[in-house]
Amino acid sequence: MTAITRVKTPALPSGHVEQSSGYRSATGQYQRLDLYQRHMLCALARAGGEMSTSSLATDMDLIRSRMSQLSGAGMVIQVPGGWKLTSAARPIAQADARASMHVSLIVAQPNMLLQPCESYHERMIYKVCIQLFTGCPVILNVPLHRVINADTISRFLNEEDMRFATHPSAHFDVVVLGATSLRPILAIEADGDQHNHPDQVAQDTKKNRICHVVGLPLVRVRIRTQINEEKVVRQPGSQLTRLARAARPEHRGHEELASALTGLRR
């Protein structure tokens, strides 16, 4: 491995551990480790000091000889099914994992990244759209005010519809953009059981009306509680097929949509 610049061992809380010869020895050994070895020790520290061999191997493509080297340096001990930090090395590795940015960034962290939406069905519809609209950008959870030009449509909508169109929480579940213009050519909504509620029905009606005014086709995919993946895939496909047959180049703003749906017309 390419030599790396050594960093100062992070400061540790005062206590009896610092006074022990074992700690001083471990500190000296730790300073001589390469980044890959520190990576493994920090991973152990973040896991509470002990991990199974299989978990380490999955996370870091662990080579057994590396752990043997660390064992020889007094950093780890082998336990049934895995490896464990020694009592002297554990506080050093914990502090290193907390304080050293270059180490922290390469140690796997659970739940640091989130999927773009919480809804499993919306993600399924998103995947379907990616397959159907090859070359067209597909975006999840797009605010209406990022799609609708409020300045130009204000004279076509009443005050209540305008408030809805510009509200920060009003959004489309999925929006398909034209491959060339990058303008919205289709919006898709995943309608679960909550869309039966009167308040939600009123909001859906506003959204339908706004889409009609701006000429943006809107497809609603009805999601039942027990719906399976196959039906989630089939619904937008069948609705888009009907839309493809209806879309004509002469319709306002539908040129790119008609082109994108050409394969579904057959």
Side-chain angles (χ1 to χ4, degrees):
M1 175 173 288
T2 304
I4 61 167
T5 302
R6 294 285 182 255
V7 297
K8 184 179 179 181
T9 303
L12 300 172
S14 60
H16 69 280
V17 176
E18 286 187 294
Q19 306 306 319
S20 69
S21 60
Y23 176 83
R24 290 195 296 272
S25 175
T27 300
Q29 290 283 4
Y30 204 96
Q31 292 283 9
R32 290 190 285 273
L33 299 179
D34 62 32
L35 184 59
Y36 189 90
Q37 291 171 321
R38 289 174 59 193
H39 176 187
M40 292 189 288
L41 295 180
C42 287
L44 283 168
R46 289 189 182 280
E50 182 176 344
M51 287 180 75
S52 68
T53 299
S54 59
S55 296
L56 276 167
T58 299
D59 289 349
M60 299 179 299
D61 297 325
L62 176 66
I63 301 174
R64 181 175 292 275
S65 62
R66 290 277 186 169
M67 293 306 291
S68 297
Q69 292 170 5
L70 289 170
S71 178
M75 299 287 103
V76 299
I77 57 175
Q78 190 165 12
V79 296
W83 298 86
K84 181 179 180 180
L85 288 169
T86 62
S87 58
R90 184 170 179 172
I92 307 173
Q94 287 174 332
D96 193 19
R98 288 193 301 267
S100 300
M101 180 63 70
H102 69 291
V103 171
S104 298
L105 288 177
I106 61 173
V107 176
Q109 301 292 311
N111 303 322
M112 289 191 71
L113 298 175
L114 298 174
Q115 292 181 311
C117 68
E118 296 181 359
S119 170
Y120 164 78
H121 295 117
E122 286 180 19
R123 292 196 296 271
M124 282 304 308
I125 293 173
Y126 173 75
K127 291 179 181 178
V128 172
C129 289
I130 290 177
Q131 296 171 6
L132 291 175
F133 298 98
T134 304
C136 293
V138 181
I139 310 176
L140 278 168
N141 295 330
V142 186
L144 263 66
H145 66 81
R146 300 297 300 170
V147 175
I148 308 299
N149 189 330
D151 293 334
T152 59
I153 67 168
S154 58
R155 64 193 182 97
F156 298 104
L157 298 175
N158 60 36
E159 187 174 330
E160 186 177 355
D161 285 348
M162 280 301 301
R163 279 199 301 269
F164 178 78
T166 56
H167 197 281
S169 65
H171 70 278
F172 292 113
D173 293 334
V174 178
V175 172
V176 180
L177 305 182
T180 303
S181 70
L182 297 182
R183 291 182 180 275
I185 60 174
L186 177 67
I188 300 179
E189 292 286 284
D191 290 352
D193 293 336
Q194 75 276 13
H195 285 258
N196 295 325
H197 192 278
D199 289 344
Q200 186 62 55
V201 171
Q203 291 189 19
D204 290 345
T205 301
K206 293 175 187 175
K207 192 176 293 185
N208 293 344
R209 190 159 51 238
I210 292 169
C211 286
H212 177 73
V213 168
V214 300
L216 178 64
L218 174 63
V219 170
R220 292 190 174 275
V221 179
R222 189 63 177 170
I223 303 297
R224 302 296 180 185
T225 304
Q226 301 300 324
I227 193 170
N228 58 36
E229 182 175 324
E230 181 183 349
K231 290 184 178 178
V232 170
V233 172
R234 191 186 315 134
Q235 272 203 64
S238 60
Q239 292 194 49
L240 289 172
T241 299
R242 290 194 294 272
L243 184 62
R245 295 195 180 104
R248 295 290 182 271
E250 65 270 14
H251 288 181
R252 177 182 46 162
H254 288 193
E255 294 87 350
E256 284 190 288
L257 176 61
S259 175
L261 294 173
T262 298
L264 296 175
R265 293 187 180 196
R266 303 183 181 89

